[in-house]
Amino acid sequence: MPDRPSLDGIEEKWVDVWDESGVYHFDRTRERGDVFSIDTPPPTVSGSLHIGHVFSYTHTDAVARFQRMRGKAVFYPMGWDDNGLPTERRVQNYYGVRCDPSVPYDPDFAPPAKPDPKRQVPISRRNFIELCDRLTAEDEKVFEAIWRRLGLSVDWRHTYATIDADARTAAQRAFLRNLARGEAYMSEAPTLWDVTFRTAVAQAELEDRERPGAYHRLAFHRPGGEPVHIETTRPELLAACVALVAHPDDERYQDLFSGTVRTPVFGVEVPVRAHRLADPEKGSGIAMICTFGDTTDVTWWRELQLETRPIIGWDGRIVAEPPAGLETEEARLAYGRLAGATVHTARERMVEMLRESGDLVGEPRPITHPVKFYEKGDKPLEIVTTRQWYIRNGGREAELRGRLVERGRELTWYPAFMRARYENWVEGLNGDWLVSRQRFFGVPFPVWYPLDAEGNPRYDAPIVPDESALPVDPSSDVPPGYTEDQRGRAGGFMGDPDVMDTWATSSLSPQIAGGWERDEDLFRRVFPMDLRPQGHDIIRTWLFATVVRSEFEHGSVPWRRTALSGWILDPDRKKMSKSKGNVVTPIDLLEKYSSDAVRYWAANGRPGTDTAFDEGQMKIGRRLAIKILNASKFALSVAGEDAAADPAAVTEPLDRAMLAALAEVVEDATSAFEGYDYTRALERTERFFWDLCDDYLELVKVRAYDSESPAGASARSALLIALSVLHRLFAPFLPFVADEVWSWWQEGSVHAARWPEAAEFRSAAQGGDPAVLAATAEVLRAVRKAKSEAKLSMRADVERVMVSGKSAEYARQSRADIAAAGRAAALEFETTDEAELRVEVTLPAAAE
RNA sequence: GGGCGUGUAGCUCAGUUGGUCAGAGCCCCCGCCUUACAAGCGGGUGGUCGGAGGUUCGAGUCCUCUCGCGCCCA
């Protein structure tokens, strides 16, 4: 035990000790019932670890530590999400390169010494992936170091990355089984498309953003020539117009239904149709349907069985070839002015042409409206018809949807109201899950297609590998029955060029971490997992997708509980984010306040509740940690480090009262933890501890030094019992300081110790009444107040203390301790019926 | 527009099933060298619990309406 205990260097010391002792290792000999398994969220390593991560991972760690102390074998792995677009972008910027699959592999490639993000060097897909692997490996080391310093009790032998071979194997195996069972399918259909990243995007990745736009009033022409006015925010799509639509009940357009009109400028004849989704209140009540301007167009196109005349290409530009229907020379010339232009330019030119033809009525009317974006993109999404892979998720089948809602109800949600978010999402789905992405750094689809005699792929006859061959890369591996020289040749084969959505891999995190089909012995001990902690913003993606995959593969929920953490808000109540520049680096905070202090702040954030970033709370956490050091040192120096607590020696009413109060704290903290209310467990423990320091310790200080009397032995034993219990109660929250103080007088790690139970020290409490401690402390407070108001030192003598009231009887049982702590010469107690405890303190005349 | 959450001292937050529930910590003010801790200790000043109705003997605590903020979805 050091003379002057300190938090300095405490993290380095214990991180090493824990690593060497393996105290957090999962005992895989334990059966499922004795295991507590956690489906840890794999943080995106291409981003930086921010304070929000520290916040939520601390919550999980506290629960993991509690369960471990309760005797569970805790399966607490860590994953890294390195698969996907964020990593591609980071690699592009970091090395100044971009992936160009047409460039051949260069085994000697070295990235530019001075990366220039503006002039990225095109490199082969394989070189690009090598750089992704290299950079993510470095990032993961940094992350692990921070997690260790934060004190996460992860078993570092169990880590995974969403791009590693195990994850690729699991993702491909699950996909092949989905395919075989008909849960995955390929379809050519209108798809939300990000033109910057040139990839398809799923419903779950959409977000609406308010953008300026303008209503353009356009004149279409009836067969007789008289105009029909429509309003559109996307005049550039006029060439893609396939119909007009109005509400079936709209009186204004009854005569037009089942007739046709001609488009302005292009003179294409299009039908006028009726559909309930046409809003009579909006614009002129009649709209043009284009293939495709928005998702409503897709609905109309599908339900009204309209033609397809797409004009926007994968690059977001107007395609060179005019769509069907543009027959006249003028129409083709007009289209020629748009071909190759961006959407923005095309709109300007189209408006120009409409002005020339006189079909633009009035001036465009500026508005602000919500536009769909890919959440990681910065250009509006287009809708392009492409061939994509889908996994069923209930978006098209009520039966499956209902089953998935039911699975959600099998889960225990912390907090419970988060379940509503899940159900709202599932019930609002309008399509299956699009899982293919036209990107590079991801898990490839384990599929090849035969090429027919003309060299065209036969998508209806995909070739799949045997599961034993996984993972495969169809761009370099050869399908069964073919040779490499048949790649890309007529009569040969081609590999599917796409990769899976990153959620298609991370939705298998319980299987990947748990050893599904790789280590079945492990898997049956940990799956379904006990807990899925995660942010509430990814209920619709990660949580939902994981439920879907587990339903298909195992016919069960993937876990029993899920805990949704809140966000960290800056002092202005805004979500902290990099773009706002209000992010604080965790490592600086850990160094400034100590890991325990930062954990203390985090542990004060309740499940699902957004929490203010508050360094003040970290200061308090630091104070608490230091107090634990000092109070422990004091108690141990009084009692003797190697002294053993003897429950039978606890005889004084005040000591028994303290232990009885502590028993209540233990019971309360335990049930709070069982209900995932770690914050309450901490609050109760902390409250008790500070009161113990302020009152009980001061009261028994003198007596505890008395080595002669039984009263002294009583105090010392009670102190040691309380200390042991408190060290363990604090261990899940302040693991460093808890193990430090524990090590001064106990064998082994506090983190391997048994969680305290009231039964342990009930006998020592001997039916003690917490009211004795409460009343005694109240008298002590009154004495202090008198001294404080007289501006006296707490060491000042007191002539007389007169206590009366209902609980005077309780205080009387601590007469000697009050006299000693208050330095009171005379004490009188009068038990009356008065509810309020009255304390009269008489100070020596000289002191007044 | 629909769903969910939230609004309690200057700040951050507790307040289980309605009855010492008007609290804690921080901040601020006034004191105290008290050998565990001056990175400490003691004491004190702060609120008609967003607003309006209602149920009840009694409501931050239940109901209705309303205002503000936040998130999710259209």
Side-chain angles (χ1 to χ4, degrees):
Chain A
M1 187 167 71
D3 288 338
R4 279 191 66 85
S6 156
L7 297 176
D8 295 342
I10 196 170
E11 287 90 357
E12 287 84 349
K13 172 181 171 185
W14 289 101
V15 163
D16 286 348
V17 171
W18 294 335
D19 197 32
E20 281 160 26
S21 67
V23 64
Y24 305 132
H25 284 181
F26 174 59
D27 177 357
R28 58 171 302 161
T29 65
R30 303 278 291 278
E31 288 306 318
R32 183 65 193 85
D34 297 331
V35 167
F36 188 84
S37 49
I38 301 170
D39 183 20
T40 319
T44 304
V45 289
S46 55
S48 51
L49 207 54
H50 58 78
I51 194 66
H53 287 108
V54 167
F55 180 69
S56 54
Y57 282 76
T58 297
H59 302 162
T60 307
D61 184 60
V63 171
R65 288 178 181 277
F66 166 72
Q67 293 290 350
R68 191 178 292 114
M69 292 176 77
R70 291 279 272 177
K72 289 286 171 74
V74 173
F75 182 68
Y76 191 6
M78 181 59 67
W80 309 118
D81 191 13
D82 42 17
N83 161 354
L85 197 51
T87 296
E88 290 190 21
R89 288 208 283 191
R90 175 158 156 75
V91 165
Q92 286 176 357
N93 295 329
Y94 190 89
Y95 293 113
V97 299
R98 70 182 165 82
C99 181
D100 182 344
S102 66
V103 172
Y105 179 65
D106 175 1
D108 301 321
F109 173 78
K114 280 190 171 180
D116 180 357
K118 293 262 162 54
R119 299 173 65 94
Q120 294 173 340
V121 180
I123 61 174
S124 74
R125 178 178 173 137
R126 189 167 155 194
N127 284 116
F128 187 75
I129 287 171
E130 283 176 2
L131 290 181
C132 289
D133 286 334
R134 190 204 292 188
L135 189 57
T136 53
E138 288 175 21
D139 289 339
E140 284 155 19
K141 278 186 207 138
V142 174
F143 271 45
E144 181 175 330
I146 296 175
W147 283 151
R148 283 179 181 265
R149 189 185 169 107
L150 180 62
L152 296 191
S153 60
V154 162
D155 182 348
W156 291 103
R157 301 171 308 170
H158 287 277
T159 62
Y160 65 90
T162 54
I163 200 65
D164 70 21
D166 287 342
R168 293 201 309 276
T169 301
Q172 292 185 336
R173 177 184 292 119
F175 174 80
L176 290 176
R177 294 191 184 177
N178 290 144
L179 184 61
R181 291 190 295 252
E183 295 146 1
Y185 63 91
M186 174 177 263
S187 172
E188 181 161 20
T191 308
L192 287 156
W193 185 268
D194 185 285
V195 300
T196 308
F197 297 111
R198 298 193 191 180
T199 182
V201 170
Q203 187 186 352
E205 296 169 300
L206 298 185
E207 62 182 39
D208 282 353
R209 296 182 198 163
E210 288 294 329
R211 281 292 179 273
Y215 270 127
H216 299 70
R217 194 169 171 88
L218 270 45
F220 281 58
H221 303 282
R222 304 188 193 216
E226 62 274 43
V228 179
H229 295 122
I230 64 108
E231 296 205 345
T232 178
T233 57
R234 301 208 61 184
E236 71 278 13
L237 294 177
L238 182 59
C241 178
V242 293
L244 296 191
V245 65
H247 195 276
D249 302 334
D250 197 325
E251 296 296 336
R252 294 169 292 181
Y253 304 108
Q254 292 298 325
D255 59 322
L256 278 173
F257 292 143
S258 75
T260 63
V261 294
R262 283 191 182 275
T263 64
V265 180
F266 301 109
V268 175
E269 190 174 344
V270 296
V272 181
R273 307 290 297 271
H275 193 276
R276 66 186 191 287
L277 285 182
D279 183 356
E281 305 295 317
K282 211 166 157 185
S284 53
I286 187 163
M288 72 172 179
I289 302 173
C290 303
T291 52
F292 298 96
D294 60 24
T295 50
T296 315
D297 280 346
V298 176
T299 306
W300 281 326
W301 167 80
R302 186 184 302 123
E303 294 188 9
L304 300 173
Q305 299 186 318
L306 302 168
E307 287 184 58
T308 312
R309 292 173 186 158
I311 64 166
I312 294 181
W314 291 14
D315 55 359
R317 290 172 183 271
I318 308 298
V319 296
E321 188 64 22
L326 269 61
E327 279 146 12
T328 67
E329 190 57 25
E330 299 96 301
R332 288 177 168 273
L333 275 174
Y335 187 84
R337 285 168 71 179
L338 305 177
T342 61
V343 165
H344 180 82
T345 306
R347 180 174 307 171
E348 289 176 354
R349 292 182 186 163
M350 194 66 235
V351 167
E352 221 172 277
M353 288 188 271
L354 285 161
R355 278 188 212 284
E356 289 165 10
S357 71
D359 291 313
L360 180 68
V361 181
E363 282 303 302
R365 194 156 48 81
I367 54 157
T368 304
H369 62 153
V371 177
K372 292 203 187 309
F373 281 74
Y374 172 39
E375 59 189 359
K376 295 188 175 71
D378 41 35
K379 282 191 178 165
L381 290 171
E382 294 294 346
I383 296 174
V384 171
T385 298
T386 52
R387 185 177 300 281
Q388 303 285 348
W389 284 106
Y390 294 83
I391 290 179
R392 298 184 195 281
N393 66 356
R396 292 176 180 282
E397 299 141 83
E399 189 276 328
L400 175 57
R401 188 159 60 237
R403 230 157 71 211
L404 293 169
V405 168
E406 270 310 307
R407 290 298 182 204
R409 291 181 182 161
E410 287 178 35
L411 294 171
T412 302
W413 298 73
Y414 301 108
F417 67 78
M418 288 291 179
R419 199 186 75 189
R421 301 229 183 149
Y422 173 87
E423 295 191 2
N424 288 347
W425 173 254
V426 177
E427 283 162 359
L429 287 168
N430 54 33
D432 282 331
W433 175 19
L434 192 162
V435 290
S436 44
R437 295 292 182 277
Q438 289 65 53
R439 300 301 307 175
F440 316 107
F441 193 57
V443 178
F445 285 88
V447 169
W448 299 263
Y449 308 102
L451 299 179
D452 65 16
E454 278 80 49
N456 296 315
R458 291 191 51 206
Y459 290 113
D460 57 336
I463 307 162
V464 298
D466 190 84
E467 279 189 11
S468 64
L470 301 179
V472 300
D473 179 358
S475 71
S476 57
D477 295 322
V478 176
Y482 290 85
T483 56
E484 179 60 32
D485 59 1
Q486 291 176 281
R487 186 183 294 275
R489 304 227 168 149
F493 71 94
M494 64 170 268
D496 189 306
D498 290 351
V499 297
M500 295 181 197
D501 174 11
T502 186
W503 299 114
T505 307
S506 56
S507 61
L508 296 162
S509 58
Q511 290 86 345
I512 294 167
W516 173 57
E517 299 277 325
R518 181 182 84 239
D519 184 344
E520 281 298 305
D521 176 72
L522 175 65
F523 194 63
R524 71 178 171 78
R525 293 173 200 271
V526 301
F527 187 92
M529 299 220 180
D530 290 278
L531 178 66
R532 154 63 76 86
Q534 64 163 77
H536 59 69
D537 50 331
I538 50 175
I539 290 174
R540 64 176 178 166
T541 48
W542 193 36
L543 191 148
F544 174 56
T546 310
V547 171
V548 171
R549 303 309 286 284
S550 182
E551 171 65 15
F552 284 153
E553 189 58 41
H554 311 285
S556 77
V557 286
W559 350 266
R560 297 183 168 87
R561 316 171 180 78
T562 180
L564 292 310
S565 59
W567 278 335
I568 299 310
L569 307 175
D570 70 9
D572 299 328
R573 313 300 296 172
K574 294 279 188 293
K575 185 191 175 189
M576 282 205 163
S577 67
K578 266 182 280 184
S579 58
K580 295 200 181 68
N582 58 5
V583 173
V584 185
T585 315
I587 195 73
D588 294 341
L589 294 168
L590 297 179
E591 281 169 6
K592 185 170 176 187
Y593 297 104
S594 88
S595 295
D596 284 337
V598 175
R599 291 174 59 104
Y600 171 86
W601 159 76
N604 272 296
R606 304 187 114 77
T609 307
D610 293 346
T611 300
F613 175 73
D614 186 358
E615 291 194 45
Q617 285 298 114
M618 297 179 199
K619 282 184 194 159
I620 296 163
R622 184 174 174 83
R623 250 168 33 110
L624 174 61
I626 292 171
K627 192 78 171 180
I628 292 171
L629 289 175
N630 285 317
S632 300
K633 177 188 149 198
F634 168 71
L636 291 173
S637 63
V638 171
E641 282 173 57
D642 35 344
D646 175 10
V650 181
T651 51
E652 292 294 302
L654 184 67
D655 302 337
R656 290 179 175 175
M658 184 273 289
L659 292 177
L662 181 58
E664 289 178 2
V665 172
V666 167
E667 284 166 354
D668 202 15
T670 304
S671 62
F673 251 127
E674 284 169 344
Y676 204 75
D677 192 357
Y678 47 82
T679 299
R680 182 175 175 83
L682 173 58
E683 273 175 353
R684 292 286 277 128
T685 303
E686 185 190 6
R687 177 84 260 149
F688 181 88
F689 174 68
W690 277 107
D691 288 344
L692 184 88
C693 290
D694 291 346
D695 300 331
Y696 179 80
L697 251 42
E698 295 298 332
L699 283 162
V700 302
K701 205 174 247 185
V702 173
R703 175 158 56 92
Y705 277 116
D706 178 0
S707 55
E708 305 296 317
S709 73
S714 173
R716 290 192 297 276
S717 280
L719 269 178
L720 289 177
I721 290 168
L723 199 65
S724 163
V725 171
L726 285 167
H727 286 173
R728 286 176 283 158
L729 289 176
F730 276 126
F733 304 105
L734 311 172
F736 293 99
V737 79
D739 226 5
E740 172 69 22
V741 293
W742 187 259
S743 74
W744 294 345
W745 67 308
Q746 302 278 2
E747 289 299 314
S749 171
V750 72
H751 303 299
R754 287 304 294 237
W755 182 254
E757 285 179 38
E760 286 177 29
F761 55 96
R762 258 283 145 61
S763 65
Q766 296 266 11
D769 187 343
V772 171
L773 178 59
T776 305
E778 198 173 338
V779 174
L780 182 61
R781 266 194 295 278
V783 172
R784 283 168 174 162
K785 181 168 180 172
K787 291 182 183 179
S788 205
E789 285 174 348
K791 300 188 195 261
L792 290 174
S793 157
M794 289 301 130
R795 280 206 305 183
D797 287 328
V798 170
E799 200 170 281
R800 180 163 167 274
V801 176
M802 172 75 194
V803 181
S804 68
K806 219 171 184 173
S807 44
E809 172 54 27
Y810 293 124
R812 197 185 54 75
Q813 298 182 40
S814 319
R815 165 189 287 270
D817 292 330
I818 294 171
R823 290 175 169 258
L827 285 164
E828 288 176 40
F829 299 89
E830 188 188 354
T831 305
T832 68
D833 285 340
E834 245 182 303
E836 197 178 341
L837 192 70
R838 225 178 254 282
V839 185
E840 281 174 44
V841 181
T842 310
L843 296 166
E848 297 277 2

